[in-house]
Amino acid sequence: MMDLLSLLPPFWKDDPALTKLQSAICVAVADYLSDVDALLHSGAVSTARDPFIRQWESLYGTQQKDGAELRDRRSAVMAKMRAGGICSPEKITSVAASFYGGEVEIAERTPDENTVTVKFVGQQSTPTFLSDLSAALASVLPAHLSIQYAWEYLLVENVHGMTLQALESNTLDKFAGG
């Protein structure tokens, strides 16, 4: 916090009224700068914070869930932003990647199956945002296509060569059947 008294002549530092005034001004300036910083970050969904993320959610019609992390709320808005237009594998990849925050692979099935498979590359365990992602992809995909998800689990063959420390660093949800 900026010390305004340090900018004034030394004999004014002993005045109690001026000291109280300086403290009040410093608090007001700090609040103002915090609001300006939040406003500047609200211009992009990827950096928006409360209360501005609510404006983005309202604009794109995403539902705010109780206890949802800011990162997940931003992802939902970004996915909705990317959802408009013609459906293509690139668009599906873009929407899915905005939720996952990493690489995804999209596999189209034969026309008889009418299925699109979204594979989360490099993630082990079921993603926590799957219901939100399903809703976003449902708004992108044509009605005749269904969605399947694929992700990896640690199997016995993977665990066999792992050290005890490596095993302890993984949570149970990363193991098949966990």
Side-chain angles (χ1 to χ4, degrees):
M1 186 180 328
M2 189 171 151
D3 182 15
L4 296 177
L5 281 178
S6 66
L7 302 174
L8 298 175
F11 59 87
W12 286 14
K13 292 180 182 177
D14 297 329
D15 186 347
L18 191 57
T19 303
K20 285 184 181 181
L21 178 63
Q22 182 266 343
S23 294
I25 291 172
C26 281
V27 168
V29 168
D31 289 346
Y32 171 76
L33 292 175
S34 175
D35 290 347
V36 166
D37 187 55
L39 183 60
L40 288 173
H41 283 93
S42 72
V45 176
S46 61
T47 57
R49 297 186 294 233
D50 271 326
F52 300 105
I53 189 66
R54 284 187 231 131
Q55 299 297 324
W56 284 104
E57 290 169 331
S58 175
L59 181 65
Y60 283 94
T62 60
Q63 298 294 322
Q64 176 185 348
K65 293 185 176 168
D66 293 336
E69 291 187 28
L70 187 57
R71 168 180 44 93
D72 295 332
R73 292 170 65 190
R74 289 174 180 159
S75 292
V77 173
M78 287 189 287
K80 192 75 169 198
M81 290 171 76
R82 296 174 182 177
I86 297 172
C87 182
S88 67
E90 292 79 20
K91 178 165 293 287
I92 297 168
T93 301
S94 176
V95 170
S98 70
F99 268 91
Y100 176 54
E103 187 179 347
V104 295
E105 293 176 357
I106 304 299
E108 297 176 86
R109 302 292 179 135
T110 61
D112 297 338
E113 293 183 42
N114 293 329
T115 303
V116 173
T117 301
V118 178
K119 181 178 181 184
F120 302 99
V121 179
Q123 174 168 322
Q124 294 171 330
S125 77
T126 306
T128 57
F129 48 78
L130 206 52
S131 62
D132 295 331
L133 175 59
S134 295
L137 287 176
S139 70
V140 173
L141 289 173
H144 71 283
L145 292 179
S146 62
I147 308 167
Q148 289 182 339
Y149 298 100
W151 49 86
E152 297 176 1
Y153 286 104
L154 289 173
L155 303 173
V156 172
E157 62 191 42
N158 305 116
V159 174
H160 183 68
M162 294 175 75
T163 65
L164 183 57
Q165 184 179 17
L167 283 171
E168 288 175 344
S169 68
N170 287 295
T171 56
L172 284 179
D173 65 332
K174 293 183 180 180
F175 293 90

